[in-house]
Amino acid sequence: MNNLVEKMLQGDRRSTARIITLIENDAPEKREILKQIYPYTGRAHVVGITGSPGAGKSSLVDELTREIRGEGLKVGIIAVDPTSPFSGGALLGDRIRMQEHATDRGVFIRSMGTRGNLGGLAEATRDAIRVLDAFGCEVILVETVGVGQSELDIMHHADTTLVVLTPQAGDHIQTIKAGIMEIADIFVINKADLDGTGKMVTDIEAMLDMSTPASGWRPPVLTTIALDHRGIPELWATIKEHRAWRKDNRVETTKEKVRRELAEIIQHQLTHLINRDLDRHYQNLIERVAARQLDPYSAAMEVIKKSWKGGLMQ
Amino acid sequence: MARKIRVLIAKPGLDGHDRGARVIARALRDAGMEVIYTGLHQTPEQIVEAAIQEDVDVVGLSILSGAHMTLIPRVTQLLRENGADDILVIGGGTIPEDDIKALKEGGWVKELFTPGTPLEAIVEWIQANVKV
């Protein structure tokens, strides 16, 4: 067994952190490591936390962690922040709000940059979740800014998704990006001491009245003041309720989940192979299409026939 | 995905002057690094734990309180105790010449940057000293 994996399973924090780095870097050892940890995963409850910038997600994660730690459960936190598309760098500041737990051995916090990789973010996050799961975290909180598609894709890997809103102007539900409202299992109106909280709750309830959830779970709308720990015990209780409901109703079978993951991995691998082949073997073909001597569909078919022996056609 | 240099910028102890730390954090980000900033009033224990969990290459300590002779060695010592002394420790702030000499010769810090250091100098030092 890989040395790092062995040490991680014995509870070594440094090895756990190293493994997450290898995953983020898409290092050659990645696949072997994930293969070895797979039998140790599938135990944690994964909670996704998303919402607009400044909604108080980090503070909420901090307070939720305190609540969960009160039950003695081990908590993993993955905080995703945007990578600058210009410099490739990232300023990861979510820990500022979570330093209370920095020296608690029952909490492991990891910040990740989005790194702007096609589909790679959701994949890297899913694999990082697996690592913390195998490390023994019983609850894993994944925090992302709900702005882009890849951030939304991350939420597919959560068992329970919280959408965090504030009652302030600009956060009015009409203006919230389509796609975010639909993924919520629980709505959290944070900073509920501000004006407009009641209206916000009413608006969301009205929206929920109009759309019957196919699953049968109507997302509860909770109010919190994270900084005062107000509403946090109720939030944790509701997360546990959702977990129990999922279990009883077999919302998504393991088979469906596995099927989706396999499709994702295969797509990712194929995209990689296609790009590699196009760069290596088909410069000539690309030039012919560019010169309008050949149309792109015929060119694509030619590539499929040659590189894939027609296997991808039907 | 390629390897990225990861840096923890931390403010140990009781001083509340974080403008410098923020400017450095931003300069490193603009140079393509991933910068974890943990905020004010950190204990050495918190800093070392964050450095380990975040698997950083460099810890940058910003100290303007005069407590550098205590705090910098403490961070380095804790990194050693945790088997993480491959993480480079650098620092910045108002640190007298004699103390710089003592900290560097004592092996407590790899490099110290005093006020007036161009941002590029810090970026270049990190790029030159982190094995990518």
Side-chain angles (χ1 to χ4, degrees):
Chain A
M1 187 180 275
N2 183 294
N3 192 26
L4 287 174
V5 173
E6 210 170 308
K7 281 160 83 180
M8 178 191 74
L9 293 174
Q10 287 162 8
D12 183 52
R13 290 157 9 265
R14 188 108 209 264
S15 305
T16 307
R18 275 281 153 83
I19 289 174
I20 297 177
T21 304
L22 291 173
I23 283 167
E24 275 197 288
N25 292 344
D26 212 1
E29 305 95 303
K30 182 181 107 169
R31 243 184 269 174
E32 187 56 31
I33 287 174
L34 288 168
K35 186 174 141 189
Q36 290 179 5
I37 67 171
Y38 191 69
Y40 301 94
T41 61
R43 288 175 286 200
H45 188 74
V46 182
V47 182
I49 296 116
T50 190
S52 37
K57 295 181 293 299
S58 299
S59 301
L60 201 72
V61 167
D62 181 48
E63 291 300 321
L64 205 49
T65 302
R66 195 204 295 200
E67 188 67 26
I68 301 167
R69 288 296 294 144
E71 290 186 8
L73 297 172
K74 200 165 162 181
V75 180
I77 299 171
I78 298 173
V80 182
D81 264 338
T83 293
S84 159
F86 301 105
S87 69
L91 196 48
L92 310 172
D94 292 314
R95 282 191 90 101
I96 297 174
R97 316 256 178 259
M98 305 175 190
Q99 279 307 83
E100 186 194 330
H101 309 291
T103 53
D104 178 352
R105 290 294 164 93
V107 179
F108 192 103
I109 308 171
R110 181 60 177 243
S111 315
M112 287 173 70
T114 53
R115 297 199 184 179
N117 200 302
L118 285 168
L121 173 67
E123 196 178 286
T125 311
R126 180 198 63 220
D127 293 340
I129 290 169
R130 290 249 159 89
V131 174
L132 292 182
D133 189 350
F135 178 59
C137 294
E138 289 152 302
V139 180
I140 298 172
L141 308 175
V142 183
E143 178 196 335
T144 74
V145 176
V147 284
Q149 189 55 48
S150 55
E151 283 92 338
L152 287 182
D153 287 344
I154 293 176
M155 292 300 141
H156 283 138
H157 303 299
D159 301 311
T160 303
T161 299
L162 315 185
V163 169
V164 187
L165 307 162
T166 62
Q168 286 162 319
D171 257 352
H172 194 269
I173 54 164
Q174 307 293 345
T175 66
I176 288 162
K177 194 177 150 64
I180 286 206
M181 300 307 271
E182 290 84 344
I183 61 168
D185 296 309
I186 301 170
F187 285 100
V188 182
I189 320 288
N190 192 34
K191 308 189 188 183
D193 48 342
L194 295 175
D195 283 347
T197 303
K199 181 166 183 341
M200 190 80 188
V201 173
T202 315
D203 283 352
I204 296 171
E205 294 285 7
M207 180 199 78
L208 293 170
D209 285 342
M210 285 186 286
S211 56
T212 332
S215 65
W217 170 269
R218 181 183 164 115
V221 185
L222 303 183
T223 55
T224 58
I225 306 170
L227 289 183
D228 298 338
H229 202 71
R230 292 251 295 273
I232 304 295
E234 293 80 359
L235 175 56
W236 174 232
T238 310
I239 292 169
K240 286 193 287 190
E241 225 171 88
H242 183 250
R243 178 172 58 185
W245 176 85
R246 268 179 74 97
K247 217 175 160 193
D248 294 345
N249 290 275
R250 309 189 125 252
V251 177
E252 185 185 42
T253 63
T254 313
K255 267 190 193 168
E256 284 164 358
K257 216 171 179 176
V258 168
R259 190 208 159 277
R260 198 181 58 217
E261 180 174 347
L262 287 182
E264 276 169 18
I265 295 172
I266 294 164
Q267 278 168 16
H268 189 71
Q269 290 296 325
L270 287 182
T271 307
H272 175 75
L273 290 175
I274 289 164
N275 284 317
R276 191 199 62 184
D277 275 16
L278 286 176
D279 290 345
R280 278 195 196 164
H281 307 300
Y282 294 102
Q283 287 307 322
N284 188 26
L285 197 73
I286 292 169
E287 276 164 32
R288 276 168 59 206
V289 178
R292 292 281 190 283
Q293 290 165 357
L294 185 69
D295 72 287
Y297 283 95
S298 306
M301 283 307 172
E302 206 169 301
V303 173
I304 291 171
K305 270 184 207 158
K306 270 194 198 155
S307 259
W308 308 87
K309 303 194 171 61
L312 287 180
M313 287 174 76
Q314 296 292 322
Chain B
M1 283 187 206
R3 166 101 158 70
K4 293 241 184 232
I5 296 178
R6 284 170 69 89
V7 183
L8 178 78
I9 295 294
K11 288 285 305 175
L14 295 176
D15 98 71
H17 303 275
D18 63 348
R19 180 62 54 94
R22 285 163 185 258
V23 170
I24 302 289
R26 186 163 172 177
L28 300 182
R29 181 200 71 178
D30 290 345
M33 300 177 197
E34 286 186 345
V35 185
I36 294 104
Y37 180 59
T38 52
L40 295 169
H41 307 140
Q42 302 296 297
T43 64
E45 286 77 5
Q46 285 175 316
I47 292 167
V48 167
E49 195 52 44
I52 288 172
Q53 292 178 4
E54 298 289 356
D55 194 24
V56 294
D57 304 291
V58 179
V59 172
L61 300 171
S62 163
I63 308 178
L64 296 154
S65 63
H68 47 266
M69 295 306 282
T70 310
L71 292 168
I72 293 176
R74 181 76 185 134
V75 168
T76 302
Q77 188 198 335
L78 284 170
L79 283 171
R80 284 178 192 160
E81 284 171 14
N82 282 279
D85 46 348
D86 53 309
I87 298 175
L88 305 175
V89 178
I90 60 176
T94 45
I95 303 171
E97 289 285 337
D98 289 352
D99 291 354
I100 291 178
K101 198 161 171 269
L103 287 168
K104 282 170 84 168
E105 282 177 1
W108 298 115
V109 70
K110 285 279 183 297
E111 193 54 89
L112 288 166
F113 302 95
T114 49
T117 307
L119 292 170
E120 303 80 55
I122 301 169
V123 169
E124 280 164 19
W125 189 93
I126 293 175
Q127 284 168 343
N129 286 276
V130 172
K131 288 171 277 175
V132 177

